[in-house]
Amino acid sequence: MVGKRVQSASVLVDIATGADRAKERPRVVILGAGFGGLNAAMTLRRAPVEVTVIDRRNYHLFQPLLYQVATAGLSPAQIAMPTRRILSRQSNATVLMDNVETVDTAARCVVTGNRSIAYDYLIIATGARHTYFGNDAWADHAPGLKTIADATAIRARILSAFEQAEVIDDPASRKRLLTFVVVGGGPTGVELAGAIAELARKTIIGDFRRIDASYTRVMLVEAGERILPAMPPCLSAKACHQLSALGVEIVFGNAVAACDEHGVELADGTQIASACVLWAAGVMASNAAKWIGSPADRTGRVKVNECLHPPGHDEIFVIGDTASVVDAAGHPVPGVAPAAKQMGRYAARAILNHMAGQSSAPFRYRDYGNLATIGRKTAVADFGKARLSGYPAWLLWNFAHLWFLVGFRNRLVVFLDWAVAYVRNDRAARLITDRNEC
């Protein structure tokens, strides 16, 4: 059969046979423009391949700083950049903004809402979303933080709570409005709780006349026995101390049993009235496992071998938060940006090796350490034998995040914003862009 081009509803659909592809350069299709997908594409910038990057958004997001958008520290444009702009000088790369519906592994093509894209090699880096452990009805009352839309919605909820507290007279309602509950004691939850406490007690404390923002109650609810469980217990303890110094109340060993517009109920029956509950308790992978018909773990991540291939598909690589991978010691590779970047580069190099008729060594994750910031001048850092906390860890956190932020302009603007915020205790992005968020 000969390849053909079909025009339907102003959408060009490419249908390519194996014979057609043999005459062309190998096609590498990358699903997702996050850390893993973007690094894979950039590693192939000089390779004799055609790269197609597909993402349902038109930008690359620096997720580690998303909580600062949610707490009015930064604006969205400072932590995101259009994917087309990032890859604009890469002549072998094409960017498509589209939604993936499925993957036809037999025909080797990706099916989206608008077209079918053939591939010789496929890299799946579609990330993860937050999960409510079977309680999806909680999503309306406890938003998670994964996208810019999530961040601006959370920012509106937080700031609207203060605004409504200013105009209300009922003490019980005012107390509920000034009570913030963050569910989940991982890095996102810790950073959110610390940032909200600082916002209330240091940034906006002089902005209101009828309420005292210093009486704001911030609670961090963790179902486990300690926060930041991926870090050593000593750093978890120091993070607890730093959060407590900011006025954050930490609840251990008590999961959320119910959540509605009035607040949350914990497993032990404790009820917390709150107008702003934020979810940072868990993630669920994308639908990639269903697309390719591959086994998945309990969070939906595709189970891959040591070369990042799903069973029976050496032409497919699954990376980042979408993949369930173990390191050389048999430990799960964490779902963090450095791991996704390493997997993206590995997949790209493995493709080049395969094209050259060479085999690739198994993927080996290099752990460069964990960082989590708690507040102004407070953070924790784990580098194995070297462990830092307080001001030195905070400086290192700032330097690392500026370094890995995409784009010189973004680095410069974020640095200047942070410098002003450090000197003046101010947050410039205190805008409520949707009045229906609280």
CSV table of all heavy atoms in Angstrom, one decimal, residues 349-410:
chain,number,residue,atom,x,y,z
A,349,ARG,N,19.7,9.2,23.7
A,349,ARG,CA,21.0,8.5,23.3
A,349,ARG,C,20.8,7.1,23.0
A,349,ARG,O,21.5,6.5,22.1
A,349,ARG,CB,22.0,8.7,24.5
A,349,ARG,CG,22.4,10.2,24.7
A,349,ARG,CD,23.1,10.4,26.0
A,349,ARG,NE,23.4,11.8,26.2
A,349,ARG,CZ,23.7,12.3,27.4
A,349,ARG,NH1,23.6,11.6,28.5
A,349,ARG,NH2,24.0,13.6,27.5
A,350,ALA,N,19.9,6.4,23.6
A,350,ALA,CA,19.6,5.0,23.3
A,350,ALA,C,19.1,4.9,21.8
A,350,ALA,O,19.4,3.9,21.1
A,350,ALA,CB,18.6,4.4,24.3
A,351,ILE,N,18.3,5.9,21.4
A,351,ILE,CA,17.8,5.9,20.0
A,351,ILE,C,18.9,6.0,19.1
A,351,ILE,O,19.0,5.3,18.0
A,351,ILE,CB,16.7,7.0,19.8
A,351,ILE,CG1,15.4,6.7,20.6
A,351,ILE,CG2,16.5,7.3,18.4
A,351,ILE,CD1,14.4,7.8,20.6
A,352,LEU,N,19.8,6.9,19.4
A,352,LEU,CA,21.0,7.1,18.5
A,352,LEU,C,21.9,5.9,18.4
A,352,LEU,O,22.4,5.5,17.4
A,352,LEU,CB,21.8,8.3,19.0
A,352,LEU,CG,21.1,9.7,18.9
A,352,LEU,CD1,22.0,10.8,19.5
A,352,LEU,CD2,20.6,10.0,17.5
A,353,ASN,N,22.0,5.2,19.6
A,353,ASN,CA,22.8,4.0,19.6
A,353,ASN,C,22.1,2.9,18.7
A,353,ASN,O,22.8,2.2,18.0
A,353,ASN,CB,22.9,3.5,21.0
A,353,ASN,CG,23.9,4.3,21.9
A,353,ASN,OD1,24.7,5.0,21.3
A,353,ASN,ND2,23.8,4.2,23.2
A,354,HIS,N,20.8,2.8,18.9
A,354,HIS,CA,20.1,1.8,18.1
A,354,HIS,C,20.2,2.1,16.6
A,354,HIS,O,20.4,1.1,15.8
A,354,HIS,CB,18.6,1.8,18.5
A,354,HIS,CG,17.8,0.7,17.8
A,354,HIS,ND1,17.1,0.9,16.6
A,354,HIS,CD2,17.6,-0.6,18.2
A,354,HIS,CE1,16.5,-0.2,16.3
A,354,HIS,NE2,16.8,-1.1,17.2
A,355,MET,N,20.1,3.3,16.2
A,355,MET,CA,20.3,3.7,14.8
A,355,MET,C,21.7,3.3,14.3
A,355,MET,O,21.9,3.0,13.1
A,355,MET,CB,20.0,5.2,14.6
A,355,MET,CG,18.6,5.6,14.8
A,355,MET,SD,18.4,7.4,14.9
A,355,MET,CE,19.2,7.9,13.3
A,356,ALA,N,22.7,3.4,15.2
A,356,ALA,CA,24.1,3.1,14.8
A,356,ALA,C,24.4,1.6,15.0
A,356,ALA,O,25.5,1.2,14.8
A,356,ALA,CB,25.0,3.9,15.7
A,357,GLY,N,23.4,0.8,15.3
A,357,GLY,CA,23.6,-0.6,15.5
A,357,GLY,C,24.3,-1.0,16.8
A,357,GLY,O,24.9,-2.1,16.9
A,358,GLN,N,24.2,-0.1,17.8
A,358,GLN,CA,24.9,-0.4,19.0
A,358,GLN,C,23.9,-0.6,20.1
A,358,GLN,O,22.8,0.0,20.1
A,358,GLN,CB,25.8,0.8,19.4
A,358,GLN,CG,26.9,1.1,18.4
A,358,GLN,CD,27.6,2.4,18.6
A,358,GLN,OE1,27.3,3.1,19.6
A,358,GLN,NE2,28.6,2.7,17.8
A,359,SER,N,24.2,-1.3,21.2
A,359,SER,CA,23.4,-1.5,22.3
A,359,SER,C,23.6,-0.4,23.3
A,359,SER,O,24.7,0.2,23.3
A,359,SER,CB,23.6,-2.9,22.9
A,359,SER,OG,24.9,-3.0,23.3
A,360,SER,N,22.7,-0.2,24.2
A,360,SER,CA,22.8,0.8,25.3
A,360,SER,C,22.9,0.1,26.6
A,360,SER,O,22.2,-0.9,26.9
A,360,SER,CB,21.6,1.7,25.3
A,360,SER,OG,21.5,2.4,24.1
A,361,ALA,N,23.7,0.7,27.5
A,361,ALA,CA,23.8,0.2,28.9
A,361,ALA,C,22.5,0.5,29.6
A,361,ALA,O,21.7,1.4,29.2
A,361,ALA,CB,24.9,0.8,29.6
A,362,PRO,N,22.1,-0.2,30.6
A,362,PRO,CA,20.9,0.0,31.4
A,362,PRO,C,20.9,1.5,31.9
A,362,PRO,O,22.0,2.0,32.2
A,362,PRO,CB,20.9,-1.0,32.5
A,362,PRO,CG,21.7,-2.1,32.0
A,362,PRO,CD,22.8,-1.5,31.1
A,363,PHE,N,19.7,2.0,32.1
A,363,PHE,CA,19.6,3.3,32.7
A,363,PHE,C,20.0,3.3,34.2
A,363,PHE,O,19.7,2.4,34.9
A,363,PHE,CB,18.2,3.8,32.7
A,363,PHE,CG,17.9,5.1,33.4
A,363,PHE,CD1,18.3,6.3,32.9
A,363,PHE,CD2,17.2,5.1,34.6
A,363,PHE,CE1,18.1,7.5,33.7
A,363,PHE,CE2,17.0,6.2,35.3
A,363,PHE,CZ,17.4,7.4,34.9
A,364,ARG,N,20.8,4.3,34.5
A,364,ARG,CA,21.3,4.4,35.9
A,364,ARG,C,21.0,5.8,36.4
A,364,ARG,O,21.5,6.8,35.8
A,364,ARG,CB,22.8,4.1,36.0
A,364,ARG,CG,23.2,2.7,35.8
A,364,ARG,CD,22.7,1.8,36.9
A,364,ARG,NE,23.1,0.4,36.7
A,364,ARG,CZ,22.3,-0.5,36.1
A,364,ARG,NH1,21.1,-0.2,35.7
A,364,ARG,NH2,22.7,-1.8,36.0
A,365,TYR,N,20.2,5.9,37.4
A,365,TYR,CA,19.8,7.2,38.0
A,365,TYR,C,20.9,7.7,38.9
A,365,TYR,O,21.4,7.0,39.8
A,365,TYR,CB,18.5,7.0,38.8
A,365,TYR,CG,18.1,8.3,39.6
A,365,TYR,CD1,18.0,9.5,39.0
A,365,TYR,CD2,18.0,8.2,41.0
A,365,TYR,CE1,17.6,10.6,39.8
A,365,TYR,CE2,17.6,9.3,41.7
A,365,TYR,CZ,17.5,10.5,41.1
A,365,TYR,OH,17.1,11.6,41.9
A,366,ARG,N,21.3,8.9,38.7
A,366,ARG,CA,22.2,9.6,39.6
A,366,ARG,C,21.5,10.6,40.5
A,366,ARG,O,20.9,11.5,40.0
A,366,ARG,CB,23.3,10.4,38.8
A,366,ARG,CG,24.2,9.5,37.9
A,366,ARG,CD,25.3,10.2,37.3
A,366,ARG,NE,26.2,10.8,38.2
A,366,ARG,CZ,27.2,11.7,37.9
A,366,ARG,NH1,27.4,12.0,36.6
A,366,ARG,NH2,28.0,12.2,38.8
A,367,ASP,N,21.5,10.3,41.8
A,367,ASP,CA,20.8,11.1,42.8
A,367,ASP,C,21.7,12.3,43.1
A,367,ASP,O,22.7,12.2,43.8
A,367,ASP,CB,20.5,10.3,44.0
A,367,ASP,CG,19.6,11.0,45.0
A,367,ASP,OD1,19.3,12.2,44.7
A,367,ASP,OD2,19.2,10.4,45.9
A,368,TYR,N,21.2,13.5,42.8
A,368,TYR,CA,22.0,14.7,43.1
A,368,TYR,C,21.5,15.4,44.3
A,368,TYR,O,21.9,16.5,44.7
A,368,TYR,CB,21.9,15.7,41.9
A,368,TYR,CG,22.6,15.2,40.6
A,368,TYR,CD1,21.8,14.8,39.6
A,368,TYR,CD2,23.9,15.2,40.6
A,368,TYR,CE1,22.5,14.4,38.4
A,368,TYR,CE2,24.6,14.8,39.4
A,368,TYR,CZ,23.8,14.4,38.3
A,368,TYR,OH,24.5,13.9,37.2
A,369,GLY,N,20.6,14.7,45.0
A,369,GLY,CA,20.1,15.2,46.3
A,369,GLY,C,18.7,15.7,46.2
A,369,GLY,O,18.1,15.9,45.2
A,370,ASN,N,18.1,16.0,47.4
A,370,ASN,CA,16.8,16.6,47.5
A,370,ASN,C,16.8,17.9,48.2
A,370,ASN,O,17.5,18.1,49.2
A,370,ASN,CB,15.9,15.6,48.3
A,370,ASN,CG,15.6,14.3,47.6
A,370,ASN,OD1,15.4,14.4,46.4
A,370,ASN,ND2,15.6,13.2,48.3
A,371,LEU,N,15.9,18.8,47.8
A,371,LEU,CA,15.8,20.1,48.4
A,371,LEU,C,14.4,20.5,48.6
A,371,LEU,O,13.5,20.1,47.9
A,371,LEU,CB,16.4,21.2,47.4
A,371,LEU,CG,17.9,21.2,47.1
A,371,LEU,CD1,18.2,22.0,45.9
A,371,LEU,CD2,18.7,21.7,48.3
A,372,ALA,N,14.1,21.1,49.7
A,372,ALA,CA,12.8,21.6,50.0
A,372,ALA,C,12.9,22.9,50.8
A,372,ALA,O,13.6,23.0,51.8
A,372,ALA,CB,12.0,20.6,50.8
A,373,THR,N,12.2,23.9,50.4
A,373,THR,CA,12.2,25.2,51.1
A,373,THR,C,11.0,25.3,52.0
A,373,THR,O,9.9,24.8,51.6
A,373,THR,CB,12.3,26.4,50.1
A,373,THR,OG1,12.4,27.6,50.9
A,373,THR,CG2,11.0,26.5,49.2
A,374,ILE,N,11.2,25.9,53.1
A,374,ILE,CA,10.1,26.0,54.1
A,374,ILE,C,9.6,27.5,54.1
A,374,ILE,O,8.4,27.7,54.2
A,374,ILE,CB,10.5,25.6,55.5
A,374,ILE,CG1,10.6,24.0,55.6
A,374,ILE,CG2,9.5,26.0,56.6
A,374,ILE,CD1,11.9,23.4,55.1
A,375,GLY,N,10.5,28.4,54.0
A,375,GLY,CA,10.1,29.8,54.1
A,375,GLY,C,11.3,30.7,53.8
A,375,GLY,O,12.4,30.2,53.4
A,376,ARG,N,11.2,31.9,54.1
A,376,ARG,CA,12.3,32.9,53.9
A,376,ARG,C,13.5,32.5,54.8
A,376,ARG,O,13.4,32.5,56.0
A,376,ARG,CB,11.8,34.3,54.3
A,376,ARG,CG,12.7,35.4,53.9
A,376,ARG,CD,11.9,36.7,54.1
A,376,ARG,NE,12.8,37.9,53.8
A,376,ARG,CZ,13.3,38.6,54.7
A,376,ARG,NH1,13.2,38.4,56.0
A,376,ARG,NH2,14.0,39.7,54.3
A,377,LYS,N,14.6,32.2,54.2
A,377,LYS,CA,15.8,31.9,54.8
A,377,LYS,C,15.8,30.5,55.5
A,377,LYS,O,16.7,30.2,56.3
A,377,LYS,CB,16.3,33.0,55.8
A,377,LYS,CG,16.5,34.3,55.2
A,377,LYS,CD,17.2,35.3,56.1
A,377,LYS,CE,16.3,35.7,57.2
A,377,LYS,NZ,16.9,36.8,58.1
A,378,THR,N,14.8,29.7,55.2
A,378,THR,CA,14.8,28.3,55.8
A,378,THR,C,14.5,27.3,54.8
A,378,THR,O,13.6,27.5,53.9
A,378,THR,CB,13.7,28.3,56.9
A,378,THR,OG1,12.4,28.6,56.3
A,378,THR,CG2,14.0,29.2,58.1
A,379,ALA,N,15.3,26.2,54.8
A,379,ALA,CA,15.1,25.1,53.8
A,379,ALA,C,15.9,23.9,54.4
A,379,ALA,O,16.6,24.0,55.4
A,379,ALA,CB,15.6,25.5,52.5
A,380,VAL,N,15.7,22.8,53.7
A,380,VAL,CA,16.5,21.6,54.1
A,380,VAL,C,17.0,21.0,52.8
A,380,VAL,O,16.4,21.1,51.7
A,380,VAL,CB,15.6,20.5,54.8
A,380,VAL,CG1,15.3,21.0,56.2
A,380,VAL,CG2,14.4,20.2,54.1
A,381,ALA,N,18.2,20.4,52.9
A,381,ALA,CA,18.9,19.8,51.7
A,381,ALA,C,19.5,18.5,52.1
A,381,ALA,O,20.3,18.5,53.1
A,381,ALA,CB,19.9,20.8,51.1
A,382,ASP,N,19.3,17.5,51.3
A,382,ASP,CA,19.9,16.2,51.5
A,382,ASP,C,20.8,15.8,50.4
A,382,ASP,O,20.3,15.6,49.2
A,382,ASP,CB,18.8,15.1,51.8
A,382,ASP,CG,19.4,13.7,51.9
A,382,ASP,OD1,20.5,13.6,52.4
A,382,ASP,OD2,18.7,12.8,51.6
A,383,PHE,N,22.1,15.6,50.6
A,383,PHE,CA,23.0,15.2,49.5
A,383,PHE,C,23.7,13.9,50.0
A,383,PHE,O,24.9,13.7,49.7
A,383,PHE,CB,24.0,16.3,49.2
A,383,PHE,CG,23.4,17.5,48.7
A,383,PHE,CD1,23.3,18.6,49.5
A,383,PHE,CD2,22.9,17.6,47.4
A,383,PHE,CE1,22.7,19.8,49.1
A,383,PHE,CE2,22.3,18.8,47.0
A,383,PHE,CZ,22.2,19.9,47.8
A,384,GLY,N,23.0,13.1,50.7
A,384,GLY,CA,23.6,11.8,51.1
A,384,GLY,C,24.4,12.1,52.4
A,384,GLY,O,23.8,12.3,53.5
A,385,LYS,N,25.7,12.1,52.3
A,385,LYS,CA,26.5,12.3,53.5
A,385,LYS,C,26.5,13.8,53.9
A,385,LYS,O,26.7,14.1,55.1
A,385,LYS,CB,28.0,11.9,53.2
A,385,LYS,CG,28.2,10.5,52.9
A,385,LYS,CD,29.6,10.1,52.6
A,385,LYS,CE,29.9,8.6,52.4
A,385,LYS,NZ,31.3,8.3,52.2
A,386,ALA,N,26.2,14.7,53.0
A,386,ALA,CA,26.1,16.1,53.3
A,386,ALA,C,24.6,16.5,53.5
A,386,ALA,O,23.8,16.3,52.6
A,386,ALA,CB,26.8,17.0,52.3
A,387,ARG,N,24.3,17.1,54.7
A,387,ARG,CA,22.9,17.5,54.9
A,387,ARG,C,23.0,18.9,55.5
A,387,ARG,O,23.7,19.2,56.4
A,387,ARG,CB,22.3,16.5,55.9
A,387,ARG,CG,22.1,15.1,55.4
A,387,ARG,CD,21.8,14.1,56.5
A,387,ARG,NE,21.7,12.8,55.9
A,387,ARG,CZ,21.6,11.7,56.7
A,387,ARG,NH1,21.5,11.8,58.0
A,387,ARG,NH2,21.5,10.5,56.1
A,388,LEU,N,22.1,19.7,54.9
A,388,LEU,CA,22.1,21.1,55.3
A,388,LEU,C,20.7,21.5,55.7
A,388,LEU,O,19.7,20.9,55.2
A,388,LEU,CB,22.5,22.0,54.1
A,388,LEU,CG,23.9,21.8,53.5
A,388,LEU,CD1,24.1,22.6,52.3
A,388,LEU,CD2,25.0,22.1,54.6
A,389,SER,N,20.6,22.6,56.5
A,389,SER,CA,19.3,23.1,56.9
A,389,SER,C,19.4,24.6,57.2
A,389,SER,O,20.6,25.1,57.3
A,389,SER,CB,18.7,22.4,58.1
A,389,SER,OG,19.5,22.6,59.2
A,390,GLY,N,18.3,25.3,57.2
A,390,GLY,CA,18.4,26.7,57.5
A,390,GLY,C,18.8,27.6,56.4
A,390,GLY,O,18.5,27.3,55.2
A,391,TYR,N,19.6,28.6,56.7
A,391,TYR,CA,20.0,29.6,55.7
A,391,TYR,C,20.9,29.1,54.6
A,391,TYR,O,20.6,29.3,53.4
A,391,TYR,CB,20.6,30.8,56.4
A,391,TYR,CG,20.9,32.0,55.5
A,391,TYR,CD1,19.9,32.7,54.9
A,391,TYR,CD2,22.2,32.3,55.1
A,391,TYR,CE1,20.1,33.8,54.1
A,391,TYR,CE2,22.5,33.4,54.3
A,391,TYR,CZ,21.4,34.1,53.8
A,391,TYR,OH,21.7,35.2,53.0
A,392,PRO,N,21.9,28.2,54.9
A,392,PRO,CA,22.7,27.7,53.8
A,392,PRO,C,21.9,26.8,52.8
A,392,PRO,O,22.1,26.9,51.6
A,392,PRO,CB,23.7,26.8,54.6
A,392,PRO,CG,23.8,27.4,55.9
A,392,PRO,CD,22.4,27.9,56.2
A,393,ALA,N,21.0,26.0,53.3
A,393,ALA,CA,20.1,25.2,52.4
A,393,ALA,C,19.2,26.1,51.6
A,393,ALA,O,19.0,25.8,50.4
A,393,ALA,CB,19.3,24.2,53.3
A,394,TRP,N,18.8,27.2,52.2
A,394,TRP,CA,17.9,28.1,51.5
A,394,TRP,C,18.6,28.8,50.3
A,394,TRP,O,18.1,28.9,49.2
A,394,TRP,CB,17.3,29.1,52.4
A,394,TRP,CG,16.4,30.2,51.8
A,394,TRP,CD1,15.1,30.0,51.5
A,394,TRP,CD2,16.7,31.5,51.5
A,394,TRP,NE1,14.6,31.2,50.9
A,394,TRP,CE2,15.6,32.1,50.9
A,394,TRP,CE3,17.9,32.3,51.6
A,394,TRP,CZ2,15.6,33.4,50.5
A,394,TRP,CZ3,17.9,33.6,51.1
A,394,TRP,CH2,16.7,34.2,50.6
A,395,LEU,N,19.9,29.2,50.6
A,395,LEU,CA,20.7,29.8,49.5
A,395,LEU,C,20.9,28.8,48.4
A,395,LEU,O,20.8,29.1,47.2
A,395,LEU,CB,22.0,30.3,50.1
A,395,LEU,CG,22.0,31.6,50.8
A,395,LEU,CD1,23.4,31.9,51.4
A,395,LEU,CD2,21.6,32.8,50.0
A,396,LEU,N,21.2,27.6,48.7
A,396,LEU,CA,21.4,26.5,47.7
A,396,LEU,C,20.2,26.3,46.9
A,396,LEU,O,20.2,26.1,45.7
A,396,LEU,CB,21.9,25.3,48.4
A,396,LEU,CG,22.4,24.1,47.5
A,396,LEU,CD1,23.5,24.6,46.6
A,396,LEU,CD2,22.8,22.9,48.4
A,397,TRP,N,19.0,26.2,47.6
A,397,TRP,CA,17.7,26.0,46.9
A,397,TRP,C,17.5,27.1,45.9
A,397,TRP,O,17.1,26.8,44.8
A,397,TRP,CB,16.6,26.0,48.0
A,397,TRP,CG,15.3,25.7,47.4
A,397,TRP,CD1,14.6,24.5,47.3
A,397,TRP,CD2,14.4,26.7,46.9
A,397,TRP,NE1,13.4,24.7,46.7
A,397,TRP,CE2,13.2,26.0,46.5
A,397,TRP,CE3,14.4,28.1,46.8
A,397,TRP,CZ2,12.1,26.7,45.9
A,397,TRP,CZ3,13.3,28.8,46.2
A,397,TRP,CH2,12.2,28.1,45.8
A,398,ASN,N,17.7,28.4,46.3
A,398,ASN,CA,17.5,29.5,45.4
A,398,ASN,C,18.4,29.4,44.2
A,398,ASN,O,18.0,29.5,43.0
A,398,ASN,CB,17.8,30.8,46.1
A,398,ASN,CG,16.6,31.3,46.9
A,398,ASN,OD1,15.7,31.9,46.4
A,398,ASN,ND2,16.6,30.9,48.2
A,399,PHE,N,19.7,29.1,44.4
A,399,PHE,CA,20.7,29.0,43.3
A,399,PHE,C,20.3,27.8,42.3
A,399,PHE,O,20.3,28.0,41.1
A,399,PHE,CB,22.1,28.7,43.8
A,399,PHE,CG,23.1,28.5,42.8
A,399,PHE,CD1,23.6,29.5,42.0
A,399,PHE,CD2,23.5,27.2,42.5
A,399,PHE,CE1,24.6,29.3,41.1
A,399,PHE,CE2,24.5,26.9,41.5
A,399,PHE,CZ,25.0,28.0,40.8
A,400,ALA,N,19.9,26.7,42.9
A,400,ALA,CA,19.6,25.5,42.1
A,400,ALA,C,18.4,25.8,41.2
A,400,ALA,O,18.3,25.5,40.0
A,400,ALA,CB,19.4,24.3,42.9
A,401,HIS,N,17.3,26.4,41.8
A,401,HIS,CA,16.1,26.7,41.0
A,401,HIS,C,16.3,27.7,40.0
A,401,HIS,O,15.7,27.7,38.9
A,401,HIS,CB,15.0,27.0,42.0
A,401,HIS,CG,14.4,25.8,42.7
A,401,HIS,ND1,15.1,25.2,43.7
A,401,HIS,CD2,13.3,25.1,42.5
A,401,HIS,CE1,14.4,24.1,44.1
A,401,HIS,NE2,13.3,24.1,43.4
A,402,LEU,N,17.1,28.7,40.2
A,402,LEU,CA,17.4,29.7,39.2
A,402,LEU,C,18.2,29.1,38.1
A,402,LEU,O,18.0,29.4,36.9
A,402,LEU,CB,18.2,30.9,39.8
A,402,LEU,CG,17.4,31.9,40.6
A,402,LEU,CD1,18.4,32.9,41.3
A,402,LEU,CD2,16.5,32.7,39.7
A,403,TRP,N,19.1,28.2,38.4
A,403,TRP,CA,20.0,27.6,37.4
A,403,TRP,C,19.2,26.7,36.4
A,403,TRP,O,19.4,26.8,35.2
A,403,TRP,CB,21.1,26.8,38.1
A,403,TRP,CG,22.0,26.1,37.2
A,403,TRP,CD1,22.0,24.8,36.7
A,403,TRP,CD2,23.1,26.7,36.5
A,403,TRP,NE1,23.0,24.5,35.9
A,403,TRP,CE2,23.7,25.7,35.7
A,403,TRP,CE3,23.7,28.0,36.5
A,403,TRP,CZ2,24.8,25.9,34.9
A,403,TRP,CZ3,24.8,28.2,35.7
A,403,TRP,CH2,25.4,27.2,34.9
A,404,PHE,N,18.3,26.0,37.0
A,404,PHE,CA,17.5,25.1,36.1
A,404,PHE,C,16.3,25.7,35.5
A,404,PHE,O,15.6,25.0,34.7
A,404,PHE,CB,17.1,23.8,36.9
A,404,PHE,CG,18.3,22.9,37.3
A,404,PHE,CD1,18.7,22.8,38.6
A,404,PHE,CD2,19.0,22.3,36.3
A,404,PHE,CE1,19.8,22.0,38.9
A,404,PHE,CE2,20.1,21.5,36.6
A,404,PHE,CZ,20.5,21.3,37.9
A,405,LEU,N,15.9,26.9,35.8
A,405,LEU,CA,14.8,27.6,35.2
A,405,LEU,C,15.1,27.8,33.7
A,405,LEU,O,16.3,28.2,33.4
A,405,LEU,CB,14.6,28.9,35.9
A,405,LEU,CG,13.2,29.6,35.7
A,405,LEU,CD1,12.1,28.8,36.1
A,405,LEU,CD2,13.2,30.9,36.4
A,406,VAL,N,14.2,27.6,32.8
A,406,VAL,CA,14.4,27.7,31.4
A,406,VAL,C,14.4,29.2,31.0
A,406,VAL,O,13.4,29.9,31.3
A,406,VAL,CB,13.4,26.9,30.6
A,406,VAL,CG1,13.5,27.1,29.1
A,406,VAL,CG2,13.5,25.4,31.0
A,407,GLY,N,15.4,29.6,30.3
A,407,GLY,CA,15.4,31.0,29.7
A,407,GLY,C,16.1,32.0,30.6
A,407,GLY,O,15.8,32.1,31.8
A,408,PHE,N,17.0,32.8,30.0
A,408,PHE,CA,17.7,33.8,30.7
A,408,PHE,C,16.8,34.9,31.3
A,408,PHE,O,17.0,35.3,32.4
A,408,PHE,CB,18.8,34.4,29.8
A,408,PHE,CG,19.5,35.6,30.4
A,408,PHE,CD1,20.5,35.4,31.4
A,408,PHE,CD2,19.2,36.9,30.1
A,408,PHE,CE1,21.1,36.5,32.0
A,408,PHE,CE2,19.8,38.0,30.7
A,408,PHE,CZ,20.8,37.8,31.6
A,409,ARG,N,15.8,35.3,30.5
A,409,ARG,CA,14.9,36.3,30.9
A,409,ARG,C,14.2,35.9,32.2
A,409,ARG,O,14.0,36.7,33.1
A,409,ARG,CB,13.9,36.7,29.8
A,409,ARG,CG,12.9,37.7,30.2
A,409,ARG,CD,11.9,38.0,29.1
A,409,ARG,NE,11.0,39.0,29.5
A,409,ARG,CZ,9.9,38.7,30.2
A,409,ARG,NH1,9.6,37.5,30.6
A,409,ARG,NH2,9.0,39.7,30.5
A,410,ASN,N,13.7,34.6,32.2
A,410,ASN,CA,13.0,34.2,33.3
A,410,ASN,C,13.9,34.1,34.6
A,410,ASN,O,13.5,34.5,35.7
A,410,ASN,CB,12.4,32.8,33.1
A,410,ASN,CG,11.1,32.8,32.2
A,410,ASN,OD1,10.7,33.9,31.9
A,410,ASN,ND2,10.6,31.7,31.9
